[in-house]
Amino acid sequence: MTASLNARQGAPFARILGVGGYRPTRVVPNEEILKHIDSSDEWIRSRSGIATRHWADEDETVAEMALAASGKAIADAGITAEQVDAVIVSTVSHFSQTPSVATEIAHRLGAVRPAAFDISAACAGFGYGLTIGTGLIVAGSARHVLVIGVERLSDLTDRTDRSTAFLFGDGAGSAVLGPSQQPAIGPTVWGSEGDKAGVIGQTVPWDRYRPGDKFPALRQEGQTVFRWAVFEMAKVAQEALDAAGITVDQLDVFIPHQANMRIIDSMVKALKLPDHVAVARDVETTGNTSAASIPLAMERMLATGQAKSGDTALVIGFGAGLVYAATVVTLP
């Protein structure tokens, strides 16, 4: 005899209820980067659009930055930490393999026995977290989900590498997801191209690192990544618009991963975005913060009035793996 299982029914849809961000207090201009590489401010700006980035000090750990951003997101959502049922943290720069940093964050926030886990999806991590969190809410496994993207990429930056030293920054961005009676997070177009996994990665895997060796750092094949991001990710972004039933004319905001201003500008052109669409360009003063870049840019656009509550936004992240995730959301 086959047993009959009970099933939970969650909310019909999910939405972003609130966002929060944290940028370290230390601002690092290009002039400081140039102490270690043979380049110029003009070259860095022309190649990446980056003028400054934030680097964490010793006390601004992955957990501390995530806590600061998450506290803001929870307050913005109008809930309490006790109402958070799941905590999802996307990071590649929490160096303790286990336990997950999500469990520490959840406990220190005051969440009551939530599900808590880390994911590793590089610069697409926030999109992955949104998708997982939405699934939990719709399936009835959670009512409120905290999604965090947090990185200390300064720890993984080779400051003598002319091709990457100027790119990376630190920070945390968080979003609280909750139930919705109307669609507010569209279908996710996500995936990976593992045949290109070697174009972004660490210089040395952790199992090969030995005391006295040069500390592992991020490396990438810049031109390969640039071409892939511009040509392939514009197609993915369009697929996400189509899946959501949204045209570019109906779009209010575009928030791509803040990797490089040239990539952002090229995607805007490829998508033929109208002039009225506000475009996130947080990379200029924040640098590339990987999983944190989209929520940080979203929070800043809302705080500065570049975007407003209820706007329709296209978000897309892409990075090491190579992985990607794109969706259309209603801003909180």
Side-chain angles (χ1 to χ4, degrees):
M1 179 178 176
T2 302
S4 177
L5 302 180
N6 290 333
R8 287 181 177 176
Q9 180 61 54
F13 307 103
R15 68 184 304 114
I16 301 174
L17 301 179
V19 294
Y22 179 82
R23 293 171 175 81
T25 55
R26 180 185 175 193
V27 177
V28 179
N30 287 341
E31 287 72 21
E32 185 167 340
I33 305 296
L34 294 172
K35 294 177 182 178
H36 306 285
I37 60 172
D38 180 16
S39 188
S40 68
D41 177 66
E42 180 183 3
W43 186 87
I44 292 173
R45 289 175 186 256
S46 66
R47 294 278 294 185
S48 67
I50 299 172
T52 61
R53 74 285 293 146
H54 295 255
W55 282 356
D57 65 23
E58 185 176 347
D59 296 330
E60 291 170 312
T61 64
V62 165
E64 293 295 341
M65 292 191 292
L67 283 163
S70 298
K72 294 177 183 178
I74 289 169
D76 190 45
I79 67 169
T80 65
E82 290 85 355
Q83 293 174 274
V84 173
D85 304 305
V87 178
I88 304 170
V89 178
S90 178
T91 184
V92 299
S93 48
H94 176 60
F95 296 154
S96 179
Q97 187 72 30
T98 191
S100 70
V101 73
T103 56
E104 176 187 349
I105 293 165
H107 170 69
R108 293 178 61 189
L109 281 171
V112 182
R113 299 180 67 185
F117 56 95
D118 298 351
I119 61 174
S120 178
C123 308
F126 184 72
Y128 274 52
L130 278 183
T131 305
I132 296 167
T134 297
L136 293 175
I137 292 168
V138 173
S141 296
R143 182 170 176 82
H144 295 106
V145 178
L146 177 62
V147 178
I148 304 167
V150 56
E151 303 289 4
R152 270 182 60 120
L153 296 184
S154 58
D155 291 337
L156 288 168
T157 297
D158 180 350
R159 300 180 189 185
T160 65
D161 180 358
R162 188 172 184 269
S163 64
T164 62
F166 57 91
L167 290 174
F168 302 116
D170 303 335
S174 299
V176 173
L177 311 186
S180 175
Q181 294 303 307
Q182 301 295 329
I185 299 175
T188 300
V189 177
W190 61 346
S192 65
E193 297 185 30
D195 60 310
K196 301 179 182 66
V199 303
I200 306 175
Q202 281 185 203
T203 51
V204 181
W206 293 118
D207 62 347
R208 297 182 192 171
Y209 173 69
R210 299 291 182 269
D213 292 348
K214 191 170 185 179
F215 197 76
L218 293 172
R219 56 158 185 79
Q220 67 174 14
E221 297 175 16
Q223 287 302 313
T224 301
V225 174
F226 181 87
R227 288 193 296 269
W228 176 78
V230 170
F231 297 109
E232 297 303 321
M233 292 305 98
K235 298 175 187 176
V236 170
Q238 184 61 58
E239 288 179 32
L241 287 171
D242 294 341
I246 296 294
T247 67
V248 290
D249 293 329
Q250 295 172 302
L251 200 61
D252 300 306
V253 183
F254 179 43
I255 310 177
H257 166 47
Q258 301 294 291
N260 182 304
M261 196 76 79
R262 291 168 62 210
I263 292 175
I264 294 170
D265 290 339
S266 296
M267 290 183 72
V268 168
K269 184 177 180 180
L271 288 166
K272 299 179 180 179
L273 295 185
D275 291 340
H276 75 262
V277 177
V279 179
R281 301 183 188 280
D282 195 44
V283 66
E284 180 180 4
T285 55
T286 305
N288 179 346
T289 56
S290 189
S293 79
I294 289 175
L296 276 173
M298 183 182 294
E299 187 259 358
R300 175 164 279 175
M301 293 187 84
L302 287 166
T304 59
Q306 292 176 275
K308 62 183 185 298
S309 176
D311 277 354
T312 300
L314 168 63
V315 299
I316 179 170
F318 44 86
L322 292 170
V323 295
Y324 56 87
T327 189
V328 177
V329 303
T330 301
L331 295 180

